[in-house]
Amino acid sequence: MGDTLEFNEIYQEVKGSWNDGRLRFSKQSVVYKSSKTGKVDNIPAPEISLANWRRVCLGHGIKLSTNTGHIYKYDGFKETDFEKISAFFKANYKVELTEKDMCVKGWNWGTAKFSGPQLSFEVGDNPAFEIPLNNVSQCATGKNEVTLEFHQNDDAEVSLMEVRFYVPPNTGDDGSDPVEAFAQNILSKADVIQATGDAVCIFKELQCLTPRGRYDIRIYPSFLHLHGKTFDYKIPYTTVLRLFLLPHKDQRQMFFVISLDPPIKQGQTRYHFLILLFTKDEDLSLTLNMNEDEVEKRFEGKLNKNMSGPLYEIVSRVMKALVNRKITVPGNFQGHSGSQCITCAYKASSGLLYPLERGFIYVHKPPVYLRFEEISCVNFARGTTTTRSFDFEIETKQNNQYIFSNIEREEYGKLFDFVNAKKLNIKNRGIKENMKGTDGYSDSDEDKHDAYLERMKEEGKIREEADGSDESEGDSDESFNPGEEEDEVAEEFDSNASESESEGEDGDSEDEGKKKKPEKKPKKVVKEKKERKPRKEKKVKDAGAPKRPMSAYMLWLNGNRERIKSEYPGISVTEISKKAGEMWKQLGKDRKEEWDKKAEEAKRQYEKAMKEYKESGGGGGASAVTKEKKKKGGKVDAKKSGGEKEKKKEGGNESFKSKEFISSEESSSESDHDRGSKRKASDDDDDEEEVASTPPSSEAESGSD
C-alpha cells in the first residue's frame, strides 16, 4: 500500500448542489480541493475521531468527524474502494471505518439529535436525514412547532426552503419549554447573522466599485456589514474565498478585491466580488474597540489596538486577520510601461488584467478570476478593428471562453513570455513548434521566435501589394472612355470581371479587341427591369352578410378569458394568448370534443344564414362595386398609356440616359415605337405594341402605373 490514496470526481454537497473535486488521503492529512472554487479543505490526521462508510445517492460516501466538532462528507466512491480505504485508515489514522446504513422507511416520527454543527433525525438507531446547521438562515418558533429556513444556492436546480418540526408539549426535567430549548440548540450553531454587541472597528465612506457606491464598513467578529445610503449587505467571513491587493496602472490608486462564494445578492443581481478603491496618499489612524489583552488573545499579534498608516494597508491588514486568508498580490510580471497590469477591454468595458502567480484577474466590470488549473488553452488573436492591438483569448476546461480585447501591441512580448513560463497551452504557436531544439513549454529566453510578429509582417506585405495593385487600377480608370470601351466594362457581379481588367492593363491590339466584342455584347450596363405584376384588387367587405363562425379554440377562449384574468391578475393581452394556448394543449379529448361540437353547430347556422341571405338578394352589392371600379380603372390606364405615348413622341423620358449607353438594339426599338404610334388601331393592339416596343425602363413604369 502506498503513502497516499487519491480519488477524482469526488463530490461535496454545498447548500443543495454537488461540487466535484479531488480527494487525497495521506499519512499526515486528508485534503480535498474543489474544482469549482479551488477551495481546499485540509483535515490533519490526528484530529480525525470518527469515520463512517455509507450508501448515498452518488454511490458510496465517507463521513468524517473531528475532535474540534467539524463534520466533512465526501460522496462518489465505488463499492470496491471500501477495503483499501478501510485498511489505509486503520494503518495510518488508527480509526476504524465502520459501515452505517441510512433509514429508508419513510417515517416522519423519530428523534432529533444535535451532534456538533449538525442536526440528525434518526428513526431507531439509523439516521433518516441530516441538516448542516450552518445552512440555516432563520429559526422561528410556534406553539408546538419549530420552523427552519435555509440559505438558497443559485447553482442548485431544486432548493429546500424550510423544514418544520413538531415538538411534543412535555416539559423537561428542569421545567423548560422543549420548543425553546430545541430552537436555542439550532440558533447556537446556525448561520444566522445578528448584529449583537459593538463592532470591532468602523471604516467610514469607503469607495466601492461593486456594488457601486460609498459604504460604511463595520467589522464584527463573525461578519462584515456594508451600510450604504440605499442598501445594506452582511457578509459572513466563512463566505470569503480570497483577498487581492492590486496596484492601479496610474500608481496612485489601489484595488482591494474580496472574492465571495456564495455571492451577495441584490434582487436578481449577484456580486461575486467586493471591490474597494483607495488612493495611496490617504492615511488613517485606527483604534480597535477591544482592550489590549483581547486583541492579543484573539489576533495573536496580527493586529494592534492602535494602528496608523495608509488606509488600504489598514483595511487589508484587518481583513486578513479576521478572515484568516492570505492576500494575493501581483508577482514578477511587468508590462511594457513597467506596470504590473495590462489595459484591455472585456465585454465592451475597459479594465485592467493582472497576470498573477496562479491565475488571471480582471477588474472591474465585470470582475473575472481564472485559475491556471482551470484553463484549457490561451490564444493570441489579431485585433478585429486595427493591427495596433491584439486579443487575448482564454478557454476553460468547462468550455467557457473569455476574450480580452484591445491590448496594445507592445504588451504582446511580455504577455507571451509570461504565459510560456507558466506552461499554459498556447493555441496558435505556429512555426514555433517545428523549430529544432525547442520544447513545447520551453523558456522564453531560449525561444527567440515570435510567431505573432512574423504573421503581422506577412499581413503587412500582403497589404502593400494590394495597395500597389490599387494604384495601377487607378491609372487605367483615368483613361476610361465610356464611348469607346462600353462593352469591355464588367459589372461587379460579372464572373469575368478579372479578365476584362487584365486585358485593359496588358494593352491588347485593336484587332483582338474587335474579335472579343461580339462575345461580350449580351453584357449591358443598363439592367433590365422586370415587369411588375398588376396589383390584386382588394375585396370589398359586405357589411350586411352574416359573420363567419368561430373555431373551437376561439369559442373556448371567449368562454374562459375572464377566468384566466382572475387566476393571473395583471397579465397582459399577449400573455393571456400564450397562457390560453398552453391550457388548450393540456385540455382533455372529452372537453375538446364538446367545443368542437359547438363550432360545428355554429358553422351549420352560418351556412344556413348565408343561404337565406343570398336568396333574399344579398351579396350583390359588393360584386357590383368591384365591377364599377374595374371599369373606371381601365379608363384611367388607357389615359395613362396614351399620355406616355405623347411623351415618347416629344423625346421625353423620366430615366435619362447618355448617348454612350444607348445600344443599337434600343434605338431600333424606339424607331419601331414611333412608327407604331402613328397607326390608328384598337386599344388592345396599341397595348400589345407598346409592350413590345418600349425600352425596359418604360415597361416597368407603365406596369407600376
Side-chain angles (χ1 to χ4, degrees):
M1 183 180 294
D3 294 339
T4 60
L5 289 177
E6 292 192 8
F7 299 92
N8 294 323
E9 295 185 5
I10 300 299
Y11 295 87
Q12 187 180 37
E13 187 266 331
V14 179
K15 295 181 181 177
S17 66
W18 295 101
N19 294 344
D20 67 316
R22 293 178 296 166
L23 181 66
R24 184 181 66 194
F25 297 111
S26 64
K27 291 183 177 181
Q28 293 79 21
S29 62
V30 176
V31 180
Y32 177 80
K33 186 169 187 178
S34 172
S35 299
K36 179 190 174 185
T37 61
K39 187 178 180 181
V40 178
D41 292 337
N42 195 335
I43 310 169
E47 291 185 3
I48 299 174
S49 60
L50 184 64
N52 290 332
W53 176 270
R54 51 191 187 169
R55 185 174 179 83
V56 290
C57 60
L58 296 175
H60 291 79
I62 290 178
K63 175 185 173 183
L64 300 178
S65 301
T66 64
N67 298 328
T68 56
H70 292 89
I71 295 175
Y72 302 90
K73 299 176 187 176
Y74 304 108
D75 299 343
F77 296 96
K78 298 177 182 177
E79 190 174 0
T80 55
D81 296 333
F82 173 74
E83 292 182 1
K84 59 181 178 181
I85 296 176
S86 178
F88 188 89
F89 273 43
K90 190 179 292 184
N92 296 290
Y93 301 154
K94 310 300 181 192
V95 174
E96 187 76 23
L97 184 62
T98 57
E99 295 188 56
K100 187 77 171 177
D101 294 329
M102 303 289 289
C103 178
V104 292
K105 292 181 179 180
W107 293 3
N108 63 347
W109 186 266
T111 306
K113 292 185 178 180
F114 295 92
S115 57
Q118 180 176 273
L119 168 61
S120 177
F121 187 82
E122 297 184 357
V123 177
D125 293 332
N126 297 327
F129 62 87
E130 296 171 341
I131 299 176
L133 294 179
N134 56 359
N135 290 355
V136 177
S137 63
Q138 192 59 261
C139 178
T141 59
K143 184 178 180 182
N144 290 320
E145 283 186 349
V146 177
T147 304
L148 307 185
E149 295 180 9
F150 301 98
H151 292 290
Q152 299 305 302
N153 189 351
D154 295 333
D155 297 331
E157 295 181 1
V158 179
S159 295
L160 179 64
M161 300 295 293
E162 68 174 32
V163 172
R164 293 187 180 185
F165 291 95
Y166 173 78
V167 183
N170 56 339
T171 57
D173 298 335
D174 54 353
S176 60
D177 186 4
V179 174
E180 290 296 330
F182 190 91
Q184 288 301 320
N185 284 329
I186 291 172
L187 288 171
S188 61
K189 300 292 183 181
D191 189 14
V192 180
I193 300 175
Q194 296 176 343
T196 56
D198 297 330
V200 176
C201 59
I202 300 175
F203 299 102
K204 294 281 189 180
E205 293 288 328
L206 295 186
Q207 184 180 353
C208 196
L209 299 181
T210 55
R212 188 177 176 183
R214 288 195 172 269
Y215 290 85
D216 293 343
I217 298 183
R218 299 174 182 177
I219 306 295
Y220 288 91
S222 60
F223 68 94
L224 181 72
H225 184 199
L226 268 68
H227 176 68
K229 293 181 179 179
T230 310
F231 302 110
D232 279 15
Y233 303 98
K234 293 178 181 178
I235 305 171
Y237 296 140
T238 54
T239 64
V240 177
L241 282 180
R242 294 176 184 86
L243 303 173
F244 301 91
L245 189 60
L246 309 170
H248 197 280
K249 193 170 185 178
D250 59 9
Q251 302 298 326
R252 293 180 298 172
Q253 295 175 311
M254 296 289 291
F255 293 109
F256 184 61
V257 184
I258 303 173
S259 175
L260 304 171
D261 185 51
I264 54 178
K265 306 174 185 179
Q266 182 56 52
Q268 296 299 320
T269 308
R270 304 291 183 267
Y271 297 105
H272 292 270
F273 293 88
L274 176 64
I275 303 179
L276 303 172
L277 182 63
F278 302 96
T279 55
K280 284 189 174 181
D281 55 359
E282 189 175 359
D283 295 332
L284 176 71
S285 296
L286 180 68
T287 302
L288 299 181
N289 191 19
M290 302 170 69
N291 57 46
E292 293 184 358
D293 295 336
E294 290 177 349
V295 172
E296 182 65 28
K297 183 180 179 181
R298 178 173 175 79
F299 301 112
E300 298 176 353
K302 297 177 183 177
L303 296 178
N304 299 323
K305 180 175 175 58
N306 298 308
M307 294 180 289
S308 61
L311 179 59
Y312 72 90
E313 284 188 4
I314 300 295
V315 173
S316 58
R317 188 177 170 187
V318 170
M319 288 299 300
K320 181 183 177 182
L322 286 166
V323 177
N324 199 20
R325 301 263 180 202
K326 294 181 180 178
I327 296 179
T328 304
V329 296
N332 299 324
F333 175 82
Q334 277 197 342
H336 173 71
S337 59
S339 61
Q340 295 177 302
C341 58
I342 296 172
T343 304
C344 62
Y346 176 65
K347 289 187 177 179
S349 296
S350 181
L352 299 173
L353 179 66
Y354 290 84
L356 307 174
E357 289 301 314
R358 295 186 180 180
F360 294 98
I361 186 169
Y362 172 83
V363 289
H364 80 287
K365 198 174 183 180
V368 177
Y369 177 63
L370 298 169
R371 293 174 285 118
F372 290 155
E373 59 190 30
E374 63 179 338
I375 294 175
S376 173
C377 63
V378 299
N379 183 25
F380 294 89
R382 184 170 64 86
T384 54
T385 56
T386 176
T387 57
R388 295 181 181 178
S389 64
F390 67 94
D391 296 349
F392 183 54
E393 302 173 357
I394 299 177
E395 292 184 16
T396 64
K397 294 175 182 176
Q398 288 79 25
N399 296 325
N400 296 324
Q401 189 176 34
Y402 300 86
I403 301 176
F404 303 97
S405 57
N406 296 337
I407 303 177
E408 294 179 1
R409 190 173 175 179
E410 290 78 12
E411 302 284 2
Y412 170 73
K414 298 283 188 180
L415 185 58
F416 184 87
D417 291 345
F418 175 82
V419 170
N420 209 21
K422 295 300 179 183
K423 298 184 179 181
L424 296 177
N425 182 23
I426 302 176
K427 208 174 189 179
N428 56 345
R429 283 182 178 270
I431 310 168
K432 183 176 176 54
E433 292 180 347
N434 299 327
M435 292 180 63
K436 294 181 180 180
T438 57
D439 187 8
Y441 298 110
S442 59
D443 194 3
S444 59
D445 295 335
E446 299 174 3
D447 193 357
K448 303 291 183 183
H449 183 75
D450 192 339
Y452 180 77
L453 187 59
E454 290 294 329
R455 197 169 65 182
M456 291 290 104
K457 289 179 180 178
E458 289 176 7
E459 290 176 359
K461 289 179 182 177
I462 294 170
R463 282 195 299 274
E464 288 175 3
E465 292 173 2
D467 294 340
S469 62
D470 291 342
E471 290 175 4
S472 63
E473 290 173 5
D475 296 336
S476 63
D477 289 342
E478 289 176 6
S479 59
F480 174 69
N481 190 343
E484 297 176 2
E485 301 177 2
E486 169 195 340
D487 294 331
E488 292 182 2
V489 179
E491 293 282 357
E492 290 179 356
F493 50 80
D494 190 359
S495 60
N496 297 323
S498 59
E499 293 179 7
S500 63
E501 289 174 6
S502 62
E503 288 168 4
E505 290 174 4
D506 294 337
D508 293 338
S509 63
E510 294 179 1
D511 296 335
E512 292 174 354
K514 288 177 182 177
K515 290 178 184 177
K516 292 178 182 176
K517 280 182 182 179
E519 297 175 1
K520 297 186 178 181
K521 267 189 178 180
K523 298 166 187 172
K524 296 180 181 179
V525 177
V526 181
K527 299 177 185 176
E528 294 183 0
K529 296 183 179 179
K530 297 180 180 178
E531 292 185 16
R532 294 185 182 176
K533 295 180 181 178
R535 294 178 182 174
K536 293 182 180 179
E537 296 178 1
K538 294 181 179 178
K539 293 182 179 179
V540 180
K541 189 175 180 181
D542 192 355
K547 290 186 179 180
R548 288 183 175 274
M550 291 186 182
S551 64
Y553 168 71
M554 290 304 297
L555 289 170
W556 173 86
L557 178 58
N558 287 343
N560 292 272
R561 192 187 301 275
E562 294 301 324
R563 182 171 66 87
I564 295 172
K565 285 183 179 179
S566 61
E567 289 180 0
Y568 302 95
I571 191 171
S572 63
V573 177
T574 55
E575 291 296 329
I576 288 175
S577 302
K578 290 180 183 178
K579 199 69 186 174
E582 294 173 3
M583 294 170 70
W584 176 256
K585 286 180 183 178
Q586 297 172 1
L587 210 64
K589 274 189 177 181
D590 299 337
R591 296 293 305 280
K592 284 187 178 181
E593 285 178 2
E594 177 187 341
W595 293 101
D596 288 336
K597 289 178 182 177
K598 290 182 180 180
E600 289 174 4
E601 180 64 27
K603 187 177 180 182
R604 283 195 293 269
Q605 292 177 2
Y606 167 75
E607 290 173 352
K608 183 180 177 182
M610 197 67 186
K611 189 177 179 182
E612 293 175 356
Y613 177 70
K614 286 182 178 179
E615 288 175 355
S616 63
S623 59
V625 172
T626 52
K627 286 178 183 177
E628 189 69 25
K629 284 194 173 183
K630 282 183 180 178
K631 288 180 182 179
K632 291 181 180 178
K635 291 178 182 178
V636 172
D637 292 339
K639 289 179 182 178
K640 285 184 180 177
S641 61
E644 285 174 1
K645 289 179 183 177
E646 291 175 3
K647 287 181 181 179
K648 297 286 181 186
K649 287 180 182 178
E650 295 172 5
N653 193 1
E654 289 181 7
S655 58
F656 175 75
K657 292 183 287 186
S658 62
K659 294 179 180 179
E660 292 84 2
F661 289 87
I662 301 175
S663 64
S664 59
E665 292 179 3
E666 291 175 339
S667 62
S668 63
S669 65
E670 286 178 2
S671 63
D672 292 340
H673 166 64
D674 293 335
R675 287 196 297 271
S677 62
K678 292 175 183 178
R679 298 173 189 169
K680 293 181 179 179
S682 62
D683 293 342
D684 297 333
D685 294 337
D686 288 342
D687 292 337
E688 292 176 4
E689 189 177 344
E690 181 188 355
V691 172
S693 60
T694 50
S697 58
S698 60
E699 285 178 18
E701 289 168 6
S702 61
S704 62
D705 292 335

